[in-house]
Amino acid sequence: MTYINRKAIITQLKNDLIGKDAYRGVTLTYSWLANQFGHFSLGFIPTIVIYHFIRSNPNIAYPELWASIGVWSAWILFEAYNFLGPLLLKTTTKRKALNKGEYTFSPSWRNLTFDTLTDLMYFGMGALAASLICGYHTEMLYTLIGMLILVSYPAYYWYTTKMYLQNAEYPFQLRLSQWNQNIKPEHKEAVHRFLDMDANQLGRHMLIFGSRGSGKTSLSVGIATEASIKSNCCSYITAVKLLSLFFERNPSQSQLNQLWSWRNCNLLVIDDINPGRPVKGDIITTALFYELLNNVDCGSDNIKHIREKNIIWVMGSDDPTNLLEEKWESLLQQIGIPKSHITTINLD
């Protein structure tokens, strides 16, 4: 089922464009629209200003064209430095951006390049629009129309991507390449395999163990964010909230405003199952979790949804004396998940 269709996009556009953001709050889609309007303005306004400074110079023919080309060229150079400087060059800027000077998980270079090119298109459209106001040229009009056509797909892609991200309700924004905690090579490879799975490979489960400050929540959000950017329907939820939703046959009123819920998403992140060190013991035991999961009203439906979707379980510390890893793997197998579909990562 396609949750982000034409109707959903139009509804989101209406919500973003109509009403006061001071009252309703700012969504990711609204921020993206405002960001691109800012890029357009940063091409438009400087072109107007520069044109008024050079238009009286008799040595400059077509000042409106030179002003727009100059402004757009300046933004191309700025974005080239902005893109290449922190990401590729071995400079202080890179060390500050990465903390350790190297990536734990490499950025999605194709996605970042596409984002940079999209920004440059809006800079260019602003500059060309200003040029047309200062001095009309048919060729410039056709160029602007062509750019509007070219930018239609990037605009659709990025706007819907922001819808995938905001409907997941992540607690913060984080790309996987921004995560720079310690992780074993075999666990890093397991993360790559989890992300590289085909969209139809459901029923895969990843258990992430770690003490306080080990980065288990941020790692799970980073993994799910990359999945959202690939147009997967993802959801983030805490264990306590999920336990209460196990008893709901129908979505609550708050869930009706969402495009999808935990029951029909592709990837679910269940956070705060147990706090981990320095807190000892299980707050949510496997016995309690299964008892609430398999309740009289919705038990079979709950088990079906847990078994048939990809889930990242954010656990506490895997204390050897408590056998936490074995307990949760046994629980997952109890509800019908093969051991081969269970991956365990320990960040301690």
Side-chain angles (χ1 to χ4, degrees):
M1 180 178 181
T2 302
Y3 295 103
I4 297 184
N5 49 29
R6 183 185 302 175
K7 181 180 178 181
I9 295 172
I10 292 174
T11 300
Q12 187 62 51
L13 275 170
K14 288 180 179 177
N15 293 336
D16 289 336
L17 299 176
I18 301 173
K20 302 295 292 183
D21 55 298
Y23 170 75
R24 68 191 174 194
V26 175
T27 61
L28 293 178
T29 48
Y30 179 90
S31 297
W32 186 85
L33 291 173
N35 190 35
Q36 299 314 318
F37 180 77
H39 291 147
F40 182 92
S41 300
L42 287 171
F44 186 91
I45 296 172
T47 300
I48 295 289
V49 172
I50 292 174
Y51 167 77
H52 281 284
F53 274 105
I54 66 174
R55 64 178 179 175
S56 58
N57 190 330
N59 297 320
I60 301 178
Y62 306 112
E64 65 279 1
L65 300 182
W66 286 111
S68 62
I69 292 172
V71 169
W72 196 9
S73 299
W75 283 120
I76 290 174
L77 291 174
F78 174 81
E79 286 294 326
Y81 170 77
N82 196 36
F83 177 70
L84 297 175
L87 298 179
L88 297 180
L89 302 179
K90 295 181 178 180
T91 62
T92 303
T93 305
K94 180 182 177 182
R95 287 195 294 272
K96 287 181 179 179
L98 300 179
N99 191 25
K100 297 187 301 183
E102 60 184 13
Y103 292 101
T104 302
F105 295 96
S106 297
S108 175
W109 297 108
R110 182 180 298 179
N111 189 255
L112 289 172
T113 302
F114 186 42
D115 177 58
T116 301
L117 293 176
T118 302
D119 293 345
L120 288 175
M121 290 288 286
Y122 281 94
F123 283 128
M125 288 191 299
L128 290 180
S131 176
L132 282 171
I133 292 176
C134 297
Y136 177 80
H137 295 274
T138 303
E139 295 81 1
M140 295 293 276
L141 177 61
Y142 288 155
T143 302
L144 180 59
I145 293 173
M147 291 181 69
L148 285 169
I149 295 172
L150 287 175
V151 85
S152 58
Y153 172 74
Y156 166 81
Y157 169 81
W158 286 113
Y159 193 78
T160 54
T161 295
K162 298 302 180 182
M163 291 177 68
Y164 279 109
L165 288 167
Q166 71 189 23
N167 198 79
E169 297 186 327
Y170 300 124
F172 47 82
Q173 297 182 56
L174 185 86
R175 293 296 298 263
L176 186 58
S177 58
Q178 294 175 276
W179 191 87
N180 58 2
Q181 304 280 82
N182 295 319
I183 187 172
K184 295 178 181 178
E186 60 269 26
H187 292 164
K188 179 179 174 180
E189 182 60 31
V191 170
H192 284 302
R193 288 197 303 270
F194 191 82
L195 278 173
D196 291 341
M197 287 188 305
D198 186 85
N200 296 320
Q201 286 183 273
L202 299 177
R204 308 288 171 153
H205 295 253
M206 176 178 286
L207 302 173
I208 301 181
F209 292 91
S211 57
R212 180 180 179 274
S214 61
K216 55 186 182 294
T217 294
S218 54
L219 177 60
S220 67
V221 170
I223 295 171
T225 295
E226 299 305 318
S228 293
I229 290 173
K230 294 178 181 178
S231 301
N232 288 291
C233 300
C234 305
S235 289
Y236 170 95
I237 196 168
T238 62
V240 172
K241 183 176 180 180
L242 179 62
L243 293 178
S244 67
L245 297 180
F246 282 159
F247 294 85
E248 290 190 346
R249 285 186 175 274
N250 299 312
S252 64
Q253 186 59 42
S254 61
Q255 290 175 287
L256 290 174
N257 297 325
Q258 297 295 314
L259 296 175
W260 60 82
S261 67
W262 78 270
R263 292 183 182 276
N264 51 15
C265 65
N266 301 123
L267 173 61
L268 177 65
V269 176
I270 307 175
D271 196 7
D272 293 334
I273 296 175
N274 281 300
R277 285 194 297 264
V279 178
K280 296 181 179 180
D282 300 347
I283 293 177
I284 299 178
T285 64
T286 53
L288 174 61
F289 188 92
Y290 184 76
E291 178 185 347
L292 299 177
L293 172 73
N294 192 28
N295 63 74
V296 175
D297 295 328
C298 310
S300 59
D301 193 39
N302 291 337
I303 291 175
K304 177 178 180 294
H305 287 300
I306 292 292
R307 184 175 59 242
E308 296 180 356
K309 73 171 73 274
N310 296 332
I311 300 180
I312 300 176
W313 305 74
V314 184
M315 317 296 294
S317 303
D318 184 17
D319 187 347
T321 62
N322 200 21
L323 301 176
L324 198 59
E325 179 180 332
E326 289 83 353
K327 289 179 181 178
W328 283 93
E329 286 187 356
S330 297
L331 172 65
L332 294 181
Q333 293 178 62
Q334 181 181 349
I335 63 178
I337 299 164
K339 186 174 177 59
S340 60
H341 289 191
I342 304 171
T343 303
T344 300
I345 291 177
N346 196 323
L347 299 177
D348 286 331

